[in-house]
């Protein structure tokens, strides 16, 4: 039976399908028996969802480049080499 | 577009810059934190792109190519920053007692992630938490999870081994989880 520490240590490998079957089975048994780790797994998954969307609106906000930046970039092209 | 750029048409260059600079600025800001430094990184990126335009053969999309150049430019600026000791990530990682049990069992979060995401304010909170990660961990998290580079590419860009990238990514995610828990855990 793995410990909660081992559960957390190998969580990413488990979710990535990288654990050998024997270890993955031990992992699944721990999930069945440990409510705090079930909860930790849920919040870890939520973390991944939240971080992936964190910059979504930033892309919209930055759609148009500031005019002075555009001019500076084009000016530097003229002075390069 | 490529042909016009190769001919050196000024209008084509302006069209290129206007089409991509905004998004490149967003990418550079994620890594550098400072809008001003991000602007410098985007200028560096375009300068590099202009120099190497002749060698761009259209194997990847132009936008993808510029994106990669921007990430490189931002990472170069990060490396050039003064070498301050990085704060430790240890306090943000879960702690366990001698029996392997958590010393602070996790509590529920208010609402599911998808519902939380509907609030614009939530995304700002998540971004601020990512910014609180120690820089070397934040860079790996951004490269792997946000820029969606694979382990090998991330290793190449950061100078870490692929194994170290995996360890650092996992620790960055655990630390981020801790920071988000501070924001979203149900009180009481």
């Amino acid at each position: 039976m793995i410990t909660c520490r081992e559960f957390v240590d190998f969580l990413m490998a488990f979710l990535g399908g990288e654990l050998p079957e024997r270890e993955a089975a031990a992992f699944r048994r721990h999930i069945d028996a440990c409510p705090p780790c079930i909860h930790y797994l849920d919040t870890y998954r939520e973390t991944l969802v939240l971080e992936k969307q964190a910059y979504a609106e930033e892309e919209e906000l930055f759609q148009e480049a500031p005019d002075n930046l555009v001019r500076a970039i084009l000016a530097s092209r003229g002075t390069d080499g | 577009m490529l042909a016009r750029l190769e001919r050196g048409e000024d209008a084509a260059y302006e069209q290129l810059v206007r089409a991509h600079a905004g998004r490149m600025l967003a990418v550079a800001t994620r890594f550098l934190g400072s809008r001003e430094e991000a602007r410098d990184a985007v200028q560096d990126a375009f300068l590099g792109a202009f120099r190497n335009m002749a060698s761009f053969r259209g194997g990847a999309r132009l936008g993808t190519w510029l994106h990669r150049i921007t990430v490189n430019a931002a990472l170069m600026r990060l490396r050039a920053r003064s070498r301050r000791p990085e704060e430790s990530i240890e306090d943000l990682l879960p702690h366990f007692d001698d029996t392997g049990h958590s010393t602070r069992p996790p509590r529920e979060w208010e609402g599911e992630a998808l519902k939380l995401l509907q609030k614009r304010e939530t995304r700002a909170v998540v971004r601020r938490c990512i910014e609180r990660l120690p820089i070397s961990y934040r860079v790996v998290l951004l490269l792997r999870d946000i820029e969606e580079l694979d382990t090998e590419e991330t290793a190449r860009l950061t100078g870490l081994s692929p194994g170290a990238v995996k360890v650092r990514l996992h620790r960055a995610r655990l630390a981020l989880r801790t920071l988000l828990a501070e924001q979203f855990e149900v009180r009481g």
Side-chain angles (χ1 to χ4, degrees):
Chain A
M1 180 73 168
I2 66 170
T3 65
C4 299
R5 179 198 298 269
E6 286 163 326
F7 178 86
V8 170
D9 282 348
F10 292 102
L11 187 47
M12 190 172 91
F14 174 73
L15 291 175
E18 292 171 10
L19 287 185
E21 183 46 42
R22 197 166 124 173
E23 278 78 2
F27 213 87
R28 284 190 290 269
R29 282 195 297 274
H30 186 87
I31 292 174
D32 288 341
C34 182
C37 281
I38 293 172
H39 186 62
Y40 195 92
L41 175 60
D42 287 343
T43 54
Y44 183 92
R45 282 181 167 140
E46 290 194 65
T47 296
L48 299 187
V49 172
L50 287 168
E51 63 158 319
K52 292 237 180 240
Q53 290 298 314
Y55 297 97
E57 77 186 0
E58 216 184 46
E59 298 263 341
E60 294 160 23
L61 289 174
F62 280 89
Q63 273 305 311
E64 196 156 322
D67 211 57
N68 53 3
L69 176 60
V70 172
R71 285 199 298 273
I73 290 166
L74 293 171
S76 70
R77 175 181 159 237
T79 59
D80 178 41
Chain B
M1 164 68 94
L2 203 51
R4 292 171 60 211
L5 291 167
E6 284 174 351
R7 286 197 295 269
E9 283 185 29
D10 289 345
Y13 274 89
E14 181 165 351
Q15 192 181 336
L16 177 77
V17 173
R18 289 197 183 277
H20 296 283
R23 209 168 303 118
M24 289 164 71
L25 191 58
V27 169
T29 305
R30 287 173 208 164
F31 286 91
L32 294 165
S34 146
R35 183 82 181 262
E36 202 174 303
E37 253 196 293
R39 289 171 61 109
D40 290 341
V42 169
Q43 283 196 247
D44 293 342
F46 271 111
L47 215 54
F50 294 157
R51 280 194 202 112
N52 294 300
M53 196 59 72
S55 67
F56 174 73
R57 287 286 170 260
R61 280 179 25 224
L62 199 49
T64 305
W65 184 62
L66 289 169
H67 184 114
R68 289 291 165 90
I69 293 176
T70 304
V71 169
N72 273 319
L75 290 179
M76 282 181 60
R77 284 200 166 252
L78 276 176
R79 281 185 210 112
R81 277 181 184 173
S82 59
R83 299 257 173 222
R84 281 174 304 206
E86 188 174 273
E87 57 188 287
S88 170
I89 200 171
E90 292 303 320
D91 287 345
L92 296 176
L93 299 178
H95 292 94
F96 302 92
D97 60 28
D98 292 341
T99 65
H101 288 96
S102 173
T103 56
R104 190 188 172 283
R107 291 203 287 264
E108 267 191 63
W109 290 9
E110 297 184 36
E112 303 154 8
L114 291 177
K115 285 190 186 140
L116 288 171
L117 275 169
Q118 280 160 18
K119 299 186 206 168
R120 191 180 203 131
E121 170 192 318
T122 300
R123 292 194 288 277
V125 165
V126 177
R127 289 196 298 272
R128 283 199 295 274
C129 288
I130 292 173
E131 283 160 22
R132 285 175 61 190
L133 295 173
I135 187 65
S136 64
Y137 292 89
R138 186 169 94 226
V139 165
V140 170
L141 187 105
L142 287 172
L143 289 173
R144 288 285 288 116
D145 286 350
I146 307 303
E147 302 302 324
E148 296 183 331
L149 302 185
D150 63 25
T151 300
E152 284 66 34
E153 178 84 17
T154 302
R156 195 185 60 76
L157 285 173
T158 57
L160 296 167
S161 68
V165 166
K166 288 184 180 180
V167 168
R168 207 161 282 202
L169 175 62
H170 183 48
R171 289 161 71 91
R173 287 174 175 177
L174 294 179
L176 181 58
R177 190 222 150 266
T178 300
L179 290 168
L180 292 177
E182 286 172 9
Q183 302 293 325
F184 299 133
E185 265 182 355
V186 175
R187 305 282 180 245

